[in-house]
Amino acid sequence: MKRGELYRVAHPTARDPKRSRVFLVVSRQVLIDSRFSTVICAPVYTAYHGLQTQIPVGTNEGLKHESSIHCDELISLPKSALTDFIGNLSREKLKQVARALAVALDIANAQQ
């Protein structure tokens, strides 16, 4: 498992109306490689509102539909749930995700 990989997860949360949802692994690689049992992920939705915290993705990344990664809705998922590999992001898309995460977490203002 690596940062930037997309996985389809069956029944990720009790309140998610879909039977499965695609998630992007965003945890740092050191955490992914550790014995820690969960990783931080960002959900992928078909909705795209053009926010700075949403990154468009689609068939180039292994998805069936044009979608977007929502960096404002991070969730911790068990590594054991991430078994259905879909695809991975390009280096450029991963940079866009890093910028979106910085916006979502207000990292620039946290350093003041």
Side-chain angles (χ1 to χ4, degrees):
M1 179 180 309
K2 297 196 182 308
R3 185 171 198 257
E5 291 182 341
L6 295 158
Y7 291 88
R8 183 174 313 281
V9 177
H11 309 290
T13 66
R15 60 186 181 144
D16 196 324
K18 295 197 74 163
R19 290 190 319 213
S20 67
R21 178 157 316 279
V22 175
F23 287 87
L24 172 71
V25 177
V26 297
S27 286
R28 63 193 185 282
Q29 197 61 45
V30 141
L31 177 73
I32 296 167
D33 294 338
S34 75
R35 289 182 163 179
F36 203 63
S37 64
T38 62
V39 291
I40 301 167
C41 298
V44 175
Y45 295 102
T46 54
Y48 177 66
H49 308 321
L51 300 174
Q52 288 181 297
T53 55
Q54 297 175 348
I55 304 302
V57 288
T59 55
N60 287 342
E61 290 79 26
L63 299 170
K64 293 178 184 176
H65 308 284
E66 294 305 307
S67 304
S68 65
I69 301 163
H70 288 226
C71 294
D72 275 325
E73 299 184 43
L74 301 178
I75 184 172
S76 182
L77 291 173
K79 290 177 184 176
S80 61
L82 301 171
T83 57
D84 188 5
F85 178 79
I86 300 296
N88 57 338
L89 299 187
S90 67
R91 188 169 277 155
E92 182 54 39
K93 280 283 183 192
L94 204 48
K95 286 179 186 178
Q96 291 175 21
V97 168
R99 287 191 292 272
L101 287 168
V103 171
L105 300 172
D106 199 19
I107 289 176
N109 288 329
Q111 296 176 0
Q112 295 178 5

